[in-house]
Amino acid sequence: MQKYKILKDVLDFAKNKFYKYDIENPSLDIALLASEALGVSKIQLITKEYVSFDTLNISDESIQKFLYFIELRCKKNSISEILGIKNFYGLDFIVTNDVLTPRPETEILVEKAFNYIIKNNINNINNIIDIGTGSGCIAISIAMLLKKQRLKSLKKIKILACDISEKALEIAEKNAKKHGVLDMIEFQKSNLLENINKKYVENACIVTNLPYIPEGDAKKMSKEVLGGDPSLALFSGKTGTDLYKKLFTDLFQENSNFYTINSCFFEFDSGMNTDNIQKKYYEKLLDDLLKNNQQKNITFFADYSGAERFGKIIL
Ligand SMILES: C[S@@+](CC[C@H](N)C(=O)[O-])C[C@H]1O[C@@H](n2cnc3c(N)ncnc32)[C@H](O)[C@@H]1O
């Protein structure tokens, strides 16, 4: 027999529990969890709090589900982990423990890359390659943006989404299907560029958010970050720069097979602007690798906090 009779009963229970466990945005989290488990909107939470569950036609199972969600949140599972959905660039993405939950700052990477592709260089770009696609959020958002443009010249552009993780690719494909862009994207298992056909890399725009956290930082990270996201999506050697170093060396060293890319947009660790070590590292690395390329144009741009977190390489 259910002990909760009206909406307010479970809401008060949830609020007290979140207060006890120091949950950051209790009202927002409760609204999101209640919407999924109980099927009530934010407005209903306020206007119908004294209405009985019977009248609202909310079953005991739904109440149990809501209480279970509250428990999970108190154990520091993130909302996206609990709901299995994360909004990115206005689209809902399926997320599981096999993929990184997309971060809002990566939307800046998508926007900058898309603006570059569409405004500056559409005729010179054959393909777009998302390396380390995870949930597919970058490739799929770009596909959706391209679809909206409906330009004739866009037809020739192919999107390739690759990842070293097969499980991530499965989720990315599901997301592409969910958003109706499966036919615009090819999925490929690959360790960086290893399995990518050279023809794809020819005049490609690479848009990538590879792992960039130094391995030693694992100890300092909260359960919320470590618990939900796979290590494969987070860490990249001792300084967090191993994967980009390998990618850029493969792309740009003198005798490289892949030297013919058009551009590359990438995200890295800004170090919160205290001392942007990774930016300095990539500036030097790219300068060395591309020293004989007179056309190169390498710039960096900032995230919402003003910290430089993205690189743009135009060749
Ligand atoms: C930081 S996550 C980014 C996921 C998604 N692109 C995003 O922005 O939310 C990095 C992704 O790179 C993948 N990855 C790690 N090492 C890789 C490698 N050597 N080659 C290709 N992908 C790799 C991980 O599996 C993970 O999906």
Side-chain angles (χ1 to χ4, degrees), residues 100 102 106 132-134 137-138 163-165 190-192 209 211 232-233 243:
L100 183 96
T106 306
T133 196
C137 63
I138 294 176
D163 205 292
I164 198 167
S165 155
S190 179
N191 178 1
L192 300 177
N209 178 21
L232 192 59
L243 283 164

Side-chain angles (χ1 to χ4, degrees), residues 64 82 91 125 142 219 225 230:
Q64 287 313 318
I82 298 169
L91 305 166
I125 293 169
I142 292 180
K219 294 185 267 335
V225 177

Side-chain angles (χ1 to χ4, degrees), residues 11 25 29 62 71 75 80 87-88 97-98 138 206 231 260 288 296 309:
L11 297 180
N25 296 307
D29 286 7
S62 300
E71 288 300 321
K75 287 183 183 150
S80 348
N87 194 276
F88 179 88
N97 284 344
D98 292 314
I138 294 176
I206 295 177
S231 302
T260 52
D288 287 349
K296 68 173 181 285
R309 170 187 283 281

Side-chain angles (χ1 to χ4, degrees), residues 6 29 40 85 89 149 180 261 303:
I6 59 172
D29 286 7
V40 289
I85 292 285
Y89 222 97
Q149 295 289 319
I261 66 158
D303 61 19

